[in-house]
């Protein structure tokens, strides 16, 4: 049965667009059921509408607590029939109200080789630290900031004199290729989370993208 994916995003939504476009070509595998944002000005809302995907915005300030906000988001996921959630530039820590019902079924993407450079400015931080390799990490979501069991990491060499602009572009290209494919593996249960560990059933496929 086709999986129904919810995407949570706060900004531009280039990863969300890559996920929507990838699964639009594979409707028997999964469909993007809904896009949820916490930012009314997020471009991701328009990207969803352009693709005929339902888009909903929730403002945390409209709720008395984070738990109440997340209960509303969870209700929207339930109403959309979502059985998997992908964070794509969602700029909030996920609390227990939203996390526990989706534990092992919620993933995030981050533009560094975690655990190096968590947080909002990962690409700039990696450049400032002068690392020779950086990349992307896709992981199951837990209660921490960019923690959670790692499903996949893609490595990029930092070029001499590399600018933030060019590194960001190369990281985004890798993200847009990898994230939909890792989600595909997740929704087909080719990879899963068991007691804080990631179990790959077809590890060879994962390794050949590296
Ligand atoms: C991506 O680089 C992702 O790794 C990070 O936030 C950024 C979102 O970009 N979590 P976009 O909104 O998908 O363009």
């Amino acid at each position: 049965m086709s999986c129904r994916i919810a995407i949570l995003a706060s900004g531009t939504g280039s990863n969300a667009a890559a996920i929507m476009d990838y699964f639009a070509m594979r409707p028997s595998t999964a469909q993007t059921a809904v896009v949820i944002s916490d930012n009314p000005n997020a471009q991701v809302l328009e990207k969803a509408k352009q693709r005929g995907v339902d888009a909903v915005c929730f403002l945390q300030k409209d709720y008395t607590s984070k738990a109440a906000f997340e209960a509303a988001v969870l209700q929207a996921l339930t109403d959309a029939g979502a059985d998997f959630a992908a964070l794509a530039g969602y700029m909030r820590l996920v609390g227990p109200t939203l996390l526990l019902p989706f534990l092992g079924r919620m993933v995030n993407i981050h533009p560094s080789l975690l655990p190096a450079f968590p947080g909002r400015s990962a690409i700039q931080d990696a450049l400032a630290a002068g690392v020779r390799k950086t990349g992307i990490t896709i992981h199951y979501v837990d209660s921490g900031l960019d923690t959670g069991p790692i499903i996949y990491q893609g490595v990029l060499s930092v070029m001499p004199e590399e600018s933030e602009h060019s590194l960001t572009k190369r990281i985004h290209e890798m993200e847009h290729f990898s994230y939909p494919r890792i989600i595909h593996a997740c929704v087909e249960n080719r990879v899963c989370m068991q007691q804080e560990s990631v179990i790959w059933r077809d590890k060879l496929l994962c390794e050949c993208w590296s």
Side-chain angles (χ1 to χ4, degrees), residues 72-152:
V73 173
L74 181 62
Q75 188 61 53
L77 264 59
T78 305
D79 292 347
D83 30 38
F84 190 87
L87 310 188
Y90 182 64
M91 304 305 275
R92 285 180 189 280
L93 271 183
V94 180
T97 307
L98 185 54
L99 177 59
L100 294 180
F102 275 86
L103 199 63
R105 297 185 296 136
M106 180 181 279
V107 294
N108 182 42
I109 187 161
H110 184 77
S112 76
L113 297 173
L114 291 171
F117 311 115
R120 286 174 183 239
S121 53
I123 298 175
Q124 297 93 317
D125 294 347
L127 269 180
V131 294
R132 297 174 65 177
K133 292 198 184 298
T134 186
I136 68 165
T137 302
I138 299 167
H139 62 93
Y140 287 107
V141 176
D142 69 6
S143 57
L145 174 65
D146 301 323
T147 52
I150 290 174
I151 306 168
Y152 172 78

